[in-house]
């Protein structure tokens, strides 16, 4: 697909970007990717969540790619009978973030653009694909595609994003202390990161 004329310059792959490989400890192509957290809106099995299901995809160039699936529920409507557009962007955020996590972690979304190509009827299934196109230092450039009802179905949306590698201090400084403590982080570690 040709790049949209409105794509931000900051999302264009720089000439000096290199294609990053999957981390040696990341799952291999064909393997499922389990939820990265028990409470994640994107991938955990929570009633209100997107409940995306993932597997590592084969990338012909040897890069990192994922495939994901999402069933569109009645409680996700925007216009009557159609998926709320913001939920496609949320799905892309999760899917593009998951492919970045095959290369390096933790990373966060710095910029994400979605192009909406076709309406997405409730009851259908989205098949999403994402690939890390390149990396320059902390910056990872990622693209994604969403198709309707089959892995080779019609394209309903595309996305481009920039993710940035961050240190654990990003979460130690910004997340709610009670959520960090539930993961085993001590109050002392939180205090030290914030002092
Ligand atoms: C497996 C896990 C799946 C999870 C999927 C879900 C992922 C998410 O939703 S993460 C949550 C949403 N994202 C966030 O909350 C991030 C909030 N933002 C931040 O914390 C900060 O702005 C952050 C970390 C992105 C950047 O801050 P910082 O680390 O100080 O970077 P900074 O020094 O400003 O910029 C570094 C480079 O990135 C560029 N950059 C930073 N932000 C942007 C942006 N929004 N657009 C374009 N470029 C940017 C800068 O221009 C700079 O470029 P250069 O090195 O060429 O000068």
């Amino acid at each position: 697909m040709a790049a949209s004329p409105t794509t931000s310059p900051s999302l264009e792959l720089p000439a000096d970007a290199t294609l990053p490989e999957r981390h040696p400890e990341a799952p291999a192509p064909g393997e499922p990717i389990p939820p990265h957290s028990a409470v994640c809106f994107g991938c955990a099995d929570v009633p209100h969540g997107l409940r995306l299901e993932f597997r590592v995809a084969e990338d012909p160039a040897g890069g990192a790619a994922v495939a994901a699936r999402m069933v569109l529920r009645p409680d996700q409507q925007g216009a009557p009978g159609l998926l709320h557009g913001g939920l496609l962007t949320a799905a892309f955020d999760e899917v593009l973030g998951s492919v970045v996590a095959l290369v390096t972690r933790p990373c966060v979304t710095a910029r994400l653009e979605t192009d909406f190509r076709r309406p997405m009827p409730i009851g259908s299934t989205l098949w999403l694909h994402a690939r890390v196109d390149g990396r320059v230092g902390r910056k990872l450039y990622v693209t994604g595609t969403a198709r309707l009802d089959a892995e080779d179905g019609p394209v309903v949306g595309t996305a481009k994003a920039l993710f940035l590698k961050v240190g654990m201090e990003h979460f130690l400084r910004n997340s709610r202390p009670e959520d960090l403590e539930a993961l085993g982080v001590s109050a002392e570690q939180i205090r030290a990161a914030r002092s």
Side-chain angles (χ1 to χ4, degrees), residues 10 36 93-94 97 101 108-111 138-139 162 164 166 170:
S10 58
H36 65 87
D93 193 18
E94 182 71 20
V108 293
T109 327
R111 187 170 190 87
R138 294 174 59 209
K139 294 176 169 180
L162 172 70
L164 279 178
V166 294
H170 176 90

Side-chain angles (χ1 to χ4, degrees), residues 44-176:
D45 186 15
V46 289
H48 58 280
L50 301 179
R51 296 186 228 155
L52 280 150
E53 295 169 11
F54 287 92
R55 67 179 158 78
V56 181
E58 193 74 57
D59 183 62
V66 298
R69 191 175 159 274
M70 173 178 155
V71 177
L72 307 188
R73 306 188 308 261
D75 63 349
Q76 297 174 325
Q77 293 177 71
L82 299 175
L83 182 71
H84 192 293
L87 295 184
L88 178 64
T89 297
F92 273 133
D93 193 18
E94 182 71 20
V95 175
L96 274 55
S98 295
V99 75
V100 164
L102 295 180
V103 172
T104 184
R105 57 168 71 181
C107 293
V108 293
T109 327
R111 187 170 190 87
L112 170 61
E113 288 185 6
T114 305
D115 287 299
F116 299 88
R117 308 272 177 184
R118 289 186 189 212
M120 296 160 281
I122 295 304
S124 50
T125 299
L126 288 189
W127 292 82
L128 299 109
H129 180 272
R131 176 178 195 263
V132 181
D133 293 329
R135 177 177 186 170
V136 181
R138 294 174 59 209
K139 294 176 169 180
L140 292 107
Y141 296 82
V142 196
T143 49
T145 305
R147 294 175 181 271
L148 201 63
D149 282 335
E151 272 189 284
D152 60 352
V155 173
V156 292
T158 54
K160 282 189 165 199
L162 172 70
F163 281 75
L164 279 178
K165 170 103 174 164
V166 294
M168 287 312 294
E169 66 277 6
H170 176 90
F171 307 97
L172 291 173
R173 287 193 192 131
N174 297 299
S175 300
R176 281 197 312 181

